[in-house]
Amino acid sequence: MTAISQSLPRPEPSAGVAAYDAERIACLALDRRKRLNWARAFGARRHGAAVDYLPTRLDIENVSRCNFACTMCAVSNWPKGTRARDMCLHEFKALIDEQYGLVEIKLNGLGEALMQGDDYFEMIRYARERRIWVRMTTNASLLHLRDNYRKLIDSGVNEIDISVDGADAPTFEGIRIQGDFDRVAANCALLNRHCADLGIVRTKMWTLVQKGNAHNLLRHVSLAATLGFKHLVFSLQLHGWADPALEARNATEQVTVAEASLWALVRAGELSGVRVSFWDVSEKFSTDAPEHLCPWPFDRAVVTSDLRTVPCCMIGDPDKFEIGRGKTFLENWTGAEYRAFRQAHLDGHVPQVCRGCYR
């Protein structure tokens, strides 16, 4: 698929760009170390393999297990939908305390975050007490249980992306295996009504476009409006989490949507009160200049539920690729393996696992 037009709307924070910027300013104001780290991180400009700063953003995977087995996801290949143990609450707190440079986290990975139970909400609260912006993704299947929809909002979470890959039961359940379309739809409506009652916006509906659902994308816009979403993102590229078999399988499901059709979705959203935007990673990185390199090796990483280090969310699974097995994230971030990984990007010898994202 060719890269989409730069003029098409791109995703924005569900609470708004102004809210996102205000939280970053408030977060930086809390801690001089954080402000100094921020300045060092953004002054580096991807020019060196050795870093003298901590990441300002992290993806932290609280669980690596799921109650769905979606056709395009790495989890579908895991025995009983599980790869490893959950991250303990005390491990999460220790990571947050250690990584004092953080201003933003995505608090989930390859798994359904809400399967962890109440410790998950405590993780969000712990980060939010430090004004760290917290984003998460959920399949929405568990929101109705034990008042999870209230607990999630009460935790102070900033953004909730909800995966809805079909606008009707046959399409949805054919992609999101073990999912129940009616249950998910009801839970989305429940959560969005609660947010509306509080006068806040926290959610996005997120649709991964593929052959199985490309025939009814307009219906996704109508569904988003019906369920109370103010934002709908169409994700336009499938990938394989560094698994060649899954990459090949997903390549057969990839579709190209004409730009005129994408603009039609935007206009339909405007009529329905839904901001429609698009996410894709088909515009490749390049080694011709530091500013064109993938930012992940220099700016952020993934810490998995079993405390392993993965260099980006496009890989996600440490059993496919990890950095510094047996070492802590802090040891890794400043260690020799990560320096060599960054240097390979800087030298134009992009590691094999990363080449799919480069021209």
Side-chain angles (χ1 to χ4, degrees):
M1 174 173 184
T2 56
I4 64 172
S5 168
Q6 293 297 312
S7 63
L8 282 161
R10 300 302 177 108
E12 294 181 353
S14 48
V17 174
Y20 178 80
D21 290 341
E23 281 300 295
R24 183 181 67 251
I25 292 169
C27 184
L28 291 171
L30 289 177
D31 189 335
R32 181 174 180 270
R33 294 182 308 164
K34 194 184 294 282
R35 293 193 296 277
L36 292 174
N37 185 79
W38 176 272
R40 288 196 303 271
F42 282 85
R45 303 289 183 186
R46 306 175 206 166
H47 279 94
V51 297
D52 65 350
Y53 57 87
L54 296 174
T56 59
R57 296 183 291 172
L58 273 182
D59 284 22
I60 303 175
E61 180 185 68
N62 66 309
V63 303
S64 55
R65 56 193 175 102
C66 193
N67 56 344
F68 284 14
C70 303
T71 57
M72 63 286 181
C73 183
V75 177
S76 63
N77 293 328
W78 293 348
K80 298 182 179 179
T82 301
R83 184 191 61 77
R85 66 171 178 85
D86 295 354
M87 181 179 289
C88 299
L89 178 58
H90 72 85
E91 292 171 331
F92 174 83
K93 289 182 176 180
L95 180 62
I96 294 295
D97 291 345
E98 171 194 272
Q99 294 299 312
Y100 61 81
L102 291 174
V103 299
E104 178 183 347
I105 62 173
K106 180 187 176 191
L107 189 46
N108 70 279
L110 287 172
E112 172 47 45
L114 296 182
M115 291 181 73
Q116 188 165 32
D118 287 348
D119 275 359
Y120 182 66
F121 307 122
E122 182 57 32
M123 289 177 175
I124 298 174
R125 278 192 291 272
Y126 195 77
R128 290 297 299 132
E129 286 167 1
R130 288 145 185 81
R131 299 301 288 266
I132 295 170
W133 184 275
V134 180
R135 179 167 61 92
M136 63 88 68
T137 299
T138 177
N139 62 29
S141 64
L142 306 176
L143 287 171
H144 65 295
L145 298 177
R146 299 179 296 278
D147 270 352
N148 279 340
Y149 74 100
R150 290 183 184 273
K151 292 176 182 177
L152 184 56
I153 297 303
D154 289 348
S155 72
V157 68
N158 299 97
E159 294 188 76
I160 306 166
D161 295 337
I162 300 181
S163 301
V164 183
D165 293 327
D168 54 54
T171 303
F172 179 94
E173 293 168 12
I175 295 171
R176 303 191 69 76
I177 307 301
Q178 298 170 194
D180 181 328
F181 174 77
D182 291 337
R183 178 74 271 166
V184 167
N187 284 354
C188 290
L190 179 68
L191 178 63
N192 286 327
R193 281 197 302 271
H194 183 55
C195 289
D197 289 344
L198 295 174
I200 61 176
V201 179
R202 293 291 181 269
T203 65
K204 293 189 190 81
M205 184 169 126
W206 196 281
T207 297
L208 181 55
V209 177
Q210 52 203 283
K211 284 182 180 178
N213 61 21
H215 63 284
N216 63 359
L217 297 183
L218 273 173
R219 288 190 61 192
H220 286 76
V221 180
S222 300
L223 177 66
T226 298
L227 299 180
F229 286 100
K230 302 299 182 185
H231 298 268
L232 167 59
V233 180
F234 288 104
S235 180
L236 300 175
Q237 190 175 40
L238 296 164
H239 64 95
W241 288 277
D243 182 331
L246 190 58
E247 190 76 49
R249 186 262 171 209
N250 284 347
T252 68
E253 294 298 310
Q254 183 72 60
V255 295
T256 298
V257 182
E259 188 170 323
S261 297
L262 300 180
W263 279 112
L265 297 172
V266 173
R267 290 190 291 271
E270 291 170 348
L271 294 173
S272 302
V274 177
R275 183 185 186 273
V276 173
S277 59
F278 304 93
W279 184 89
D280 85 321
V281 290
S282 53
E283 186 170 348
K284 304 293 188 179
F285 298 111
S286 171
T287 60
D288 61 0
E291 58 269 23
H292 297 155
L293 294 172
C294 173
W296 275 81
F298 305 90
D299 297 347
R300 65 191 299 183
V302 177
V303 179
T304 64
S305 67
D306 48 348
L307 304 181
R308 295 160 72 181
T309 301
V310 177
C312 84
C313 68
M314 298 291 284
I315 301 169
D317 184 347
D319 290 342
K320 299 303 179 185
F321 185 85
E322 70 173 307
I323 290 178
R325 185 173 180 84
K327 297 180 180 178
T328 68
F329 176 70
L330 184 59
E331 290 173 322
N332 277 326
W333 183 252
T334 57
E337 262 190 73
Y338 232 129
R339 287 199 302 274
F341 185 76
R342 295 186 190 104
Q343 193 64 53
H345 287 260
L346 290 165
D347 290 343
H349 304 306
V350 177
Q352 181 65 44
V353 74
C354 300
R355 290 179 187 174
C357 291
Y358 275 82
R359 290 201 298 264

